[in-house]
Amino acid sequence: MLVLSGPPGSGKSRQILERVRAALRLGATDFRLLVPTATMAEHLRHQMAREGFLLRPGLIMTLSRFIAPWVQDYPEVPPACLELLVDRALAARAPEWFARVARLPGFQASLAELIEEFSSGGCDCWRLTQILEAGVPDAPLAAAFLAVYQDVERELLRCGWAPRAARLRCAAEEIRSRGMGLIHQVFLDGFFTLREPELNLLDAIHTHADITIALPSWEGSAQARASLAGLGFLQREANGAPRGAPRTTLVPASTIDQEVEEIARRILEQVEQGRQFREIGIVLRGRAPYLPLLRAALERFGIPARFYFSEPLASHSIVRYLCGVVKAMLGGWDHRATLDALKMAASGFGTTPACDRLEFAAMERLPGQGLDGLRELSDDPRLHALLDRFATLAPWAALRRSPPQWAAACKTLRGLVRPPVAGDAVPQETAAIWRGQAAAFEAFETAIEDAARALPAAEPIPFTEFWRAATLALGGAQLRVADGRRNVVHVMDVYEARQWELQAVFVCGLLEKQFPLYHASGPILSDAARRALNQAGLSLQTAAARQREEEFLFEIATTRATSELVLSYPRHNSKGEPNLPSFFLEKIAAAQEQARGGIPACVPLEGRPASRYLEDQDLIDAMHARHETLRPSAIESFLQCPFQFFVAHTLGLKEPPPRPDDRLGPLLQGQIVHQALSEFERTKEPMDAVFLRVFEQACTRERVPAGCRTELARLNMLRDLHRYLAEAVVPDGWKVSTEESIRFPLGDGVGISGRIDRFDVSRDGRAVVFDFKYRGAQGIRSRIQGYEAGRHVQGALYLLGLNRVHGYTPAGMFYCGLRGAVNLDGWHIGLPGFEGVGTSCTPQALWEQLEAARATALRAAQEIRRGRVEAAPEDRERCERCAFLDVCHVVATAAPAMAEGAAE
């Protein structure tokens, strides 16, 4: 019996695998190599197969699978159901200390995690009771936890489930009494440490077989190594041939997006140099925030990758769709909730243009309920067939059935998804999606069955009660889809990486609070209580111990590469603020300094700008034809961001209708105020009557719900209009025109068309343009600043158009804000009545402003016709309010630059 120990990368695993190879060369099948996870077992089987060894899959397996023959009568607790049992225990009898937080999902998850920690360490309720009688810190909280733990243990007994520690204990007893048949040699590798139940099992195994264990030399395994020594295991430091240190490179990227793109680019460079994808790995500290970014980047660069992460079952599109339909049914088919389900791709309707039209039509009519109301909005047969299937669920809300009956009923939800039509030559990506869907269906039904098993089987319950239990089970279940591809980049967390060796390894996200993470004391048991319990023989981790584990994990991550190690981190966060690099990088630098007289190469990331223009000539010609005439507001949209203009004015994408409470927003209020002013000038009726008519028509048309917010907005708008009428300046003898259309050539084949809010003309032909904005003083100041920066040209173009169409002499242009106060600002040629308003200038200076706006508009039109579509916002603060932010790929370079400038 032997324990091989040593730091990460010291050769422990290589020595274990060499012993396995020796056994295979002799044709032996009387050994087992046990590892912590199924993916590790799969990786090692593939490695042996690539080396030419023929072996049965059962020779390399997980510890859980190894003990399965001896514990067939003790099924393991489904991980998804432990939180459900905690929920039931708290609902039945919540201790006083937990009463106020008992129904909070986060608290229930913390309790379930703590129960798992105690159970895995071999501490059941009886043992914990004995320890607590001796006294520990936080005794009331510990006693409250014990009460919940006892209730959960009783529930486990009722359900016929056994915790992992109990299964290991039963397996040990069976092995001692029955032996292990033809197994005479057992190897263990990949374990960080071994706790009491595993040690008890090894004590049973060693009476029938020789055992060799690889354990890393670190604080967390010290107790296990001491216990193994007490069982008679020899201790030996791994003394294999030292592996050469990989070439280490440090890559500080500007942002996290650029970091993952740089990783993808370097992978492609290595493949071009002859390295296989399967020889490359990316190691993460955890899922967030890198996993979704890496998925997108690697797919965009065409890099095949396998992600060694189980996904939350509830996040899979199939499960989200099925749960969304049930949620809509329980809500009486509320149109908002039903639309959310219909829009999902799994419905078979969500990706169609008909669904988009239905969504807009339904949102314009919210609130609403009932499937019939949705049928009236579309005559698409696919929608009607889908709603008919939805309708079959409606009776469930009023029925009472036993949990097994509800589980059987929920399995019929599969019928809400149309199965794909299989054929020949199916693309690999499509086949992978189908495998994922099949796995999701299977996992969904398993979780439903587990939820039913966790509830009393004979008692009829309403569907709402069963679905709450099912939701908890689904929320805790994980989904792992089989991926048998060989030549792929391996993306894994640091725990999975412990048994891998790859030629090139990327370790990203090396920031403080990301790698390393910083751990707080537990929310239920303090570190003081944990230390007291550990003195009584338990092995609970304190926050300090978890913090020291971070350094060990970093050592694992940085010892997986045999040839090249690339470390990276983003210098700035999404706000442009500087990030704090991981202090672990200093350790790498010190090691490099000692080993080679230098530190890791610091390679600055060079930005690679995306294409700014369309490249297809047919598309460019279409852009030219579509935009022969432009509105000033469209030009301003382009000047703010070419991509925003492309999406809104070229593709013609529309924003979704606002929710009912948001319908009377700034846009509609501005339209009401504009129309009221126009109607007032045209009809000369009293403003109260005009505004009431316009307001009621707009609210009826837009289905604005009545209420105090609507009434408050009405009163404010009417007050603002009366204030404007009282303060409006109209020089004697000037003619006022409102909402007048205008169209004129700007030059170079570019036409301008639009509608002027108001312009005044004097007897001698001088013209002043007013651009009304239902904004406050700050909004008008922003418009003036935008005009001076060249982003706003509307007022100047309208004044220029009046000159070209009617021959009027430009005399002034103003922005007029009406919200809260009349705010008038702009430029004029010293007009009477406008003293102290805006900026007075000479006619020549005003004309130069008009020509500058014309030149700006012409340059914008030329860029539009050349097909410029890049996401390059002029004012980045407006990006957060852009309706198309979700489809925009802005490279955040300005914010870091601003942060660096501020730091100087």
Side-chain angles (χ1 to χ4, degrees):
M1 299 184 296
L2 176 65
V3 176
L4 292 171
S5 60
S10 60
K12 303 181 299 299
S13 294
R14 289 197 296 274
Q15 292 188 42
I16 291 285
L17 292 181
E18 190 53 47
R19 293 170 184 246
V20 171
R21 293 185 185 99
L24 290 173
R25 291 189 188 100
L26 296 174
T29 59
D30 62 344
F31 72 90
R32 296 295 183 268
L33 172 57
L34 308 183
V35 295
T37 67
T39 51
M40 285 187 188
E42 179 189 34
H43 165 61
L44 292 176
R45 287 194 292 265
H46 289 172
Q47 180 177 334
M48 293 291 104
R50 282 195 295 269
E51 294 176 8
F53 292 102
L54 298 178
L55 74 163
R56 297 203 310 264
L59 296 180
I60 303 176
M61 62 175 64
T62 63
L63 180 60
S64 295
R65 184 178 172 190
F66 173 74
I67 66 172
W70 294 284
V71 291
Q72 295 179 359
D73 296 333
Y74 304 95
E76 191 170 1
V77 184
C81 287
L82 189 56
E83 186 174 342
L84 170 57
L85 296 180
V86 170
D87 176 76
R88 286 184 53 80
L90 291 173
R93 187 185 60 173
E96 183 179 355
W97 279 85
F98 298 159
R100 293 187 177 182
V101 294
R103 307 306 289 172
L104 298 180
F107 178 74
Q108 295 174 0
S110 296
L111 268 179
E113 182 179 347
L114 189 58
I115 289 174
E116 177 65 25
E117 184 177 4
F118 273 85
S119 177
S120 297
C123 179
D124 56 15
C125 290
W126 181 85
R127 183 178 178 186
L128 181 58
T129 302
Q130 304 303 311
I131 294 174
L132 293 184
E133 287 178 354
V136 296
D138 300 331
L141 276 176
F145 166 71
L146 175 61
V148 177
Y149 194 3
Q150 290 170 334
D151 289 343
V152 169
E153 272 201 348
R154 282 191 289 269
E155 287 291 303
L156 289 173
L157 184 62
R158 179 186 61 79
C159 297
W161 288 325
R164 183 172 183 271
R167 286 165 53 86
L168 290 170
R169 185 169 56 252
C170 292
E173 294 172 357
E174 289 291 312
I175 289 173
R176 286 190 178 97
S177 61
R178 293 166 45 193
M180 297 194 303
L182 300 178
I183 301 175
H184 300 114
Q185 196 169 19
V186 175
F187 304 98
L188 279 83
D189 190 21
F191 294 88
F192 282 1
T193 188
L194 297 169
R195 303 181 72 178
E196 183 178 313
E198 289 93 349
L199 294 171
N200 181 47
L201 176 67
L202 294 178
D203 183 43
I205 291 174
H206 95 269
T207 60
H208 302 281
D210 185 48
I211 305 176
T212 303
I213 306 171
L215 281 178
S217 298
W218 72 296
E219 175 189 336
S221 68
Q223 184 175 342
R225 286 182 279 125
S227 298
L228 290 169
L231 294 175
F233 280 75
L234 298 177
Q235 307 280 324
R236 180 187 301 170
E237 286 290 320
N239 55 2
R243 189 179 66 199
R247 184 170 69 92
T248 303
T249 305
L250 177 63
V251 181
S254 177
T255 66
I256 188 172
D257 291 320
Q258 290 188 359
E259 182 186 6
V260 297
E261 287 187 4
E262 179 68 5
I263 290 173
R265 184 181 70 81
R266 288 172 178 268
I267 289 174
L268 292 179
E269 286 181 352
Q270 297 202 16
V271 171
E272 289 175 1
Q273 295 168 5
R275 188 161 283 163
Q276 298 292 317
F277 284 120
R278 66 171 178 266
E279 297 169 339
I280 303 171
I282 303 175
V283 177
L284 310 178
R285 175 58 184 88
R287 299 175 57 89
Y290 280 86
L291 190 59
L293 297 174
L294 283 168
R295 284 187 187 277
L298 297 180
E299 181 178 355
R300 189 165 68 250
F301 280 78
I303 298 173
R306 178 178 177 183
F307 294 83
Y308 292 79
F309 291 86
S310 58
E311 299 290 337
L313 176 60
S315 70
H316 192 276
S317 58
I318 290 290
V319 178
R320 287 192 297 110
Y321 169 61
L322 298 180
C323 292
V325 174
V326 173
K327 176 183 176 182
M329 180 270 291
L330 293 176
W333 303 112
D334 173 77
H335 285 182
R336 178 70 269 176
T338 309
L339 278 174
D340 288 342
L342 289 171
K343 289 190 302 180
M344 296 183 190
S347 71
F349 180 68
T351 56
T352 65
C355 183
D356 294 336
R357 292 191 291 271
L358 172 69
E359 180 187 13
F360 276 54
M363 289 186 67
E364 289 171 352
R365 291 164 174 77
L366 290 178
Q369 278 191 317
L371 298 179
D372 291 339
L374 292 176
R375 285 192 179 93
E376 296 171 357
L377 299 178
S378 175
D379 57 0
D380 191 286
R382 292 166 298 184
L383 172 66
H384 287 221
L386 192 57
L387 294 181
D388 288 341
R389 294 200 295 274
F390 284 7
T392 62
L393 307 182
W396 291 9
L399 296 178
R400 295 177 67 89
R401 293 177 176 174
S402 67
Q405 290 174 327
W406 280 128
C410 286
K411 290 182 181 181
T412 66
L413 292 173
R414 179 190 287 257
L416 298 177
V417 181
R418 292 297 187 191
V421 179
D424 295 332
V426 174
Q428 186 178 29
E429 294 79 7
T430 303
I433 293 173
W434 290 352
R435 283 196 299 271
Q437 291 176 346
F441 275 126
E442 182 177 352
F444 175 83
E445 294 177 355
T446 299
I448 292 294
E449 291 173 352
D450 290 340
R453 189 170 180 177
L455 299 171
E459 181 181 348
I461 57 175
F463 180 71
T464 52
E465 182 177 342
F466 176 80
W467 188 247
R468 172 178 170 78
T471 301
L472 288 171
L474 291 169
Q478 298 291 310
L479 175 66
R480 189 183 292 274
V481 181
D483 186 349
R485 294 175 298 162
R486 291 182 54 193
N487 193 27
V488 295
V489 173
H490 307 282
V491 185
M492 64 194 82
D493 68 10
V494 66
Y495 292 98
E496 177 68 32
R498 54 188 146 176
Q499 218 168 17
W500 287 72
E501 286 188 354
L502 296 160
Q503 290 189 19
V505 172
F506 296 81
V507 182
C508 54
L510 293 176
L511 297 175
E512 289 293 295
K513 297 185 179 181
Q514 286 191 16
F515 202 164
L517 296 174
Y518 282 85
H519 302 275
S521 179
I524 300 172
L525 286 184
S526 67
D527 280 356
R530 287 171 176 267
R531 285 190 291 269
L533 291 170
N534 288 342
Q535 291 175 359
L538 301 187
S539 55
L540 304 176
Q541 275 197 314
T542 63
R546 290 198 296 271
Q547 206 58 51
R548 290 190 292 271
E549 183 181 358
E550 292 293 319
E551 187 171 359
F552 172 66
L553 295 176
F554 179 75
E555 191 174 1
I556 289 177
T558 53
T559 55
R560 301 304 93 196
T562 61
S563 177
E564 183 164 358
L565 174 65
V566 179
L567 311 174
S568 63
Y569 67 90
R571 293 196 303 267
H572 302 94
N573 62 20
S574 59
K575 298 179 180 179
E577 300 165 344
N579 287 321
L580 181 61
S582 172
F583 293 149
F584 290 159
L585 292 175
E586 298 176 1
K587 180 180 179 181
I588 288 287
Q592 293 286 323
E593 183 76 28
Q594 182 178 3
R596 296 200 299 265
I599 61 175
C602 183
V603 182
L605 182 71
E606 296 181 0
R608 297 174 303 283
S611 177
R612 300 172 60 193
Y613 295 88
L614 297 175
E615 298 177 358
D616 188 286
Q617 188 59 46
D618 290 339
L619 294 178
I620 295 173
D621 292 342
M623 290 277 284
H624 193 286
R626 185 177 183 87
H627 299 301
E628 289 183 350
T629 300
L630 294 165
R631 301 181 66 85
S633 58
I635 294 175
E636 291 184 348
S637 173
F638 179 85
L639 293 172
Q640 160 58 20
C641 177
F643 181 75
Q644 180 191 70
F645 171 89
F646 175 71
V647 174
H649 298 278
T650 301
L651 299 181
L653 299 187
K654 296 181 180 179
E655 300 181 33
R659 296 177 180 272
D661 290 344
D662 298 328
R663 286 173 182 160
L664 190 56
L667 179 61
L668 183 56
Q669 290 184 38
Q671 293 172 354
I672 292 172
V673 168
H674 275 73
Q675 187 177 352
L677 287 173
S678 177
E679 289 287 311
F680 174 78
E681 291 292 341
R682 184 179 62 83
T683 64
K684 306 302 182 184
E685 296 179 22
M687 175 54 78
D688 286 357
V690 171
F691 175 76
L692 181 60
R693 180 171 65 249
V694 171
F695 180 82
E696 290 181 346
Q697 289 173 350
C699 290
T700 301
R701 181 181 69 252
E702 302 298 331
R703 298 174 63 87
V704 176
C708 60
R709 292 178 59 187
T710 300
E711 180 63 13
L712 179 61
R714 185 190 71 82
L715 292 173
N716 286 336
M717 283 186 283
L718 183 58
R719 186 182 302 113
D720 291 336
L721 286 169
H722 279 297
R723 182 186 300 110
Y724 166 73
L725 294 179
E727 300 179 14
V729 177
V730 181
D732 292 339
W734 289 60
K735 179 184 177 182
V736 177
S737 300
T738 60
E739 297 296 327
E740 289 282 343
S741 297
I742 190 169
R743 187 183 186 94
F744 64 96
L746 189 65
D748 294 340
V750 179
I752 297 293
S753 68
R755 184 181 295 272
I756 307 175
D757 292 344
R758 169 186 159 184
F759 66 90
D760 298 357
V761 181
S762 67
R763 293 189 182 94
D764 59 357
R766 290 176 296 168
V768 178
V769 167
F770 295 86
D771 189 1
F772 292 121
K773 302 295 179 184
Y774 194 55
R775 298 179 180 179
Q778 181 58 43
I780 296 302
R781 282 194 295 270
S782 296
R783 296 295 295 187
I784 294 295
Q785 292 168 359
Y787 176 85
E788 293 171 344
R791 295 195 306 271
H792 298 313
V793 296
Q794 180 168 290
L797 291 181
Y798 283 152
L799 191 56
L800 187 63
L802 291 175
N803 172 262
R804 295 203 172 181
V805 175
H806 301 291
Y808 298 145
T809 301
M813 52 184 177
F814 293 96
Y815 291 106
C816 184
L818 302 177
R819 184 187 291 273
V822 178
N823 295 282
L824 196 62
D825 204 350
W827 298 264
H828 62 94
I829 57 172
L831 296 174
F834 290 91
E835 296 84 357
V837 176
T839 302
S840 178
C841 61
T842 65
Q844 179 63 28
L846 182 60
W847 187 260
E848 289 174 356
Q849 290 193 44
L850 302 188
E851 284 299 321
R854 175 179 175 274
T856 298
L858 283 175
R859 285 195 301 270
Q862 291 168 358
E863 290 287 279
I864 290 170
R865 294 179 174 190
R866 287 179 58 196
R868 186 181 175 194
V869 295
E870 69 171 324
E874 186 69 23
D875 182 1
R876 287 179 176 266
E877 292 183 358
R878 296 174 59 182
C879 289
E880 296 181 359
R881 303 187 298 273
C882 179
F884 311 113
L885 180 62
D886 290 342
V887 293
C888 176
H889 298 286
V890 176
V891 178
T893 56
M898 290 172 60
E900 290 169 2
E904 295 173 1

